[in-house]
Amino acid sequence: VTALAIEKIGLLVTCDPAAGGGPLGAVPDATVVVEDGAVVAVGRSPVVADERVDVGGRCVLPGFVDSHTHLVFAGDRADEFAARMAGRPYEAGGIRTTAAATAAASDDELRRLAAARRVEARRGGTTTIEVKSGYGLSAAGEARLLRLAGELTAETTFLGAHVVPESFAGRADDYVELVVSSMLPMCAPLARFVDAFCEEGAFDADQCRAVLSAGTGAGLVPKLHANQLRPGPGVQLAVDLGSASADHCTHLTDADVDALAGSGTVATLLPAADFSTRQPYPPARRLLDAGATVALASNCNPGSSNTTSMAFVIALAVREMAMTVEEAVRAATVGGAAALRRTDIGRIGPGARADLVVLDAPSYTHVAYRPGVPIVAGVLEAGVLRYRDPVLWSSGH
Ligand SMILES: [Zn+2]
């Protein structure tokens, strides 16, 4: 076995509070030892190793875990964004525009577009990414998107109940029946999670319950888009069904907050969507103070959040949602891992996958303090240096 030492780490964020250094387990002057793609040791003394990477006193974080994206799509909705910024409200129905553009694109075109977005995310420090279907809206269309998503990640989600397609207008129950009886058998082998969009204009609580229950019966883990545009039954439904996460959580009652805090369901907040739809931001402070587990994710999609940048999401969470920098970094790493029911990512410690982000900065605070500029010097995935910024990697600071 070849041992790789990542050394001269000025500040190592382990996300393990037992390591000392506050809620992020931030260890100064550290070395990380990697074998077979996994972390075997974290320490402060010199180590024996076959290969060495000197990061020159920079801060190193666990790779970001982006637990909510819609990465496989064609077309863009820049005109819709511009109109919205000029005053037109956001509606769930815009999803059909992307579904039509995606249906018209070839597999190779979708593969090329999604791979480019995956590279963009990696350059921003994302080492694990969840990808949903939801622009296919037919058994063959959804299965195609899940197959393409599966080429990029193991964290795939069947979202057949994203929006009611035009051909089922006024017949949402019939469409849900199609999702359960025809799409699910084809898609379940290609997915790890099942998801639905619980919202006026999309699906109601009974319809979402039918989809998630059937998905659970087919061996998938439930998730739910809940309480994005107005208060609603989504969060309580997600908790009732033992979902891994309730995503959005923008409009919450006290009962919703209590339900999340008393459950194993992660509140996944997507502030880049609230930014791009000019919605209020989710009540992160109430969730954290109540003891809920919070994740931050990009929700990358062409309609409501066309970004892969977890640094941008962290900056929004700190500036607009009163999360501390430490809370935001945890939510973007271990929080995202919890939303994916993973314990081997989102942290740096023995047994974890060696997914590391080298910042061109002395502290993790710079992720929020230096908004909108490239700050990632390098990214390792499973111990392999997958990205080196051509300028930042060699510049020092
Ligand atoms: Zn979404």
Side-chain angles (χ1 to χ4, degrees):
V1 180
T2 307
L4 165 70
I6 297 124
E7 52 191 15
K8 305 249 164 53
I9 300 172
L11 187 64
L12 175 70
V13 172
T14 64
C15 285
D16 176 11
L24 287 179
V27 181
D29 305 320
T31 298
V32 174
V33 185
V34 175
E35 288 178 9
D36 275 339
V39 175
V40 293
V42 170
R44 300 187 61 173
S45 43
V47 295
V48 179
D50 307 293
E51 292 172 44
R52 293 168 190 282
V53 174
D54 178 342
V55 300
R58 292 173 169 90
C59 180
V60 169
L61 308 179
F64 297 129
V65 178
D66 189 349
S67 62
H68 184 140
T69 84
H70 307 252
L71 214 66
V72 186
F73 63 85
D76 82 35
R77 285 154 60 189
D79 292 346
E80 181 188 316
F81 173 80
R84 192 162 63 237
M85 292 303 105
R88 195 207 298 164
Y90 176 74
E91 290 164 4
I95 292 163
R96 293 187 200 99
T97 308
T98 298
T102 302
S106 69
D107 285 6
D108 278 348
E109 177 72 354
L110 289 173
R111 185 177 283 121
R112 186 185 65 74
L113 290 165
R117 294 179 192 118
R118 178 67 192 92
V119 169
E120 178 186 278
R122 177 177 296 123
R123 291 171 62 176
T126 296
T127 52
T128 301
I129 197 160
E130 181 267 9
V131 180
K132 300 175 197 301
S133 65
Y135 297 124
L137 305 180
S138 68
E142 289 291 300
R144 176 169 87 123
L145 297 188
L146 286 169
R147 254 181 234 109
L148 291 165
E151 295 177 10
L152 295 173
T153 183
E155 305 299 341
T156 55
T157 300
F158 169 53
L159 179 58
H162 198 187
V163 73
V164 179
E166 209 71 73
S167 53
F168 281 81
R171 298 188 295 130
D173 282 334
D174 291 348
Y175 181 68
V176 168
E177 175 56 26
L178 180 80
V179 170
V180 168
S181 64
S182 160
M183 291 189 199
L184 185 62
M186 254 178 101
C187 291
L190 302 168
R192 208 183 144 217
F193 300 96
V194 59
D195 195 347
F197 187 9
C198 190
E199 188 64 61
E200 276 180 36
F203 299 93
D204 67 23
D206 287 344
Q207 291 160 346
C208 291
R209 181 185 291 276
V211 171
L212 266 48
S213 299
T216 305
L220 304 180
V221 178
K223 285 177 167 287
L224 191 63
H225 285 66
N227 300 53
Q228 177 186 1
L229 301 176
R230 51 185 71 75
V235 162
Q236 308 257 4
L237 176 63
V239 170
D240 284 351
L241 296 176
S243 302
S245 62
D247 298 46
H248 284 288
C249 297
T250 305
H251 298 273
L252 299 184
T253 64
D254 288 345
D256 293 330
V257 172
D258 290 344
L260 286 164
S263 77
T265 300
V266 174
T268 298
L269 311 182
L270 309 169
D274 305 305
F275 173 87
S276 293
T277 56
R278 200 172 274 148
Q279 284 279 305
Y281 289 99
R285 209 50 280 146
R286 283 165 63 205
L287 288 163
L288 288 161
D289 292 345
T293 302
V294 168
L296 288 167
S298 74
N299 189 23
C300 180
N301 79 84
S304 65
S305 185
N306 198 352
T307 182
T308 56
S309 174
M310 291 295 281
F312 175 60
V313 170
I314 288 169
L316 286 177
V318 171
R319 170 64 180 83
E320 302 292 339
M321 291 150 62
M323 289 174 73
T324 66
V325 178
E326 289 79 7
E327 286 168 340
V329 169
R330 280 189 64 85
T333 52
V334 271
L340 297 177
R341 300 253 165 104
R342 295 270 301 264
T343 56
D344 61 325
I345 54 174
R347 65 184 181 90
I348 298 174
R353 227 176 86 112
D355 293 347
L356 280 66
V357 174
V358 181
L359 295 182
D360 186 40
S363 160
Y364 56 83
T365 299
H366 288 60
V367 174
Y369 165 61
R370 301 263 292 127
V373 298
I375 194 173
V376 172
V379 177
L380 291 94
E381 290 180 12
V384 178
L385 190 59
R386 295 291 301 275
Y387 172 66
R388 266 192 311 192
D389 185 274
V391 175
L392 301 181
W393 182 258
S394 52
S395 67
H397 65 268

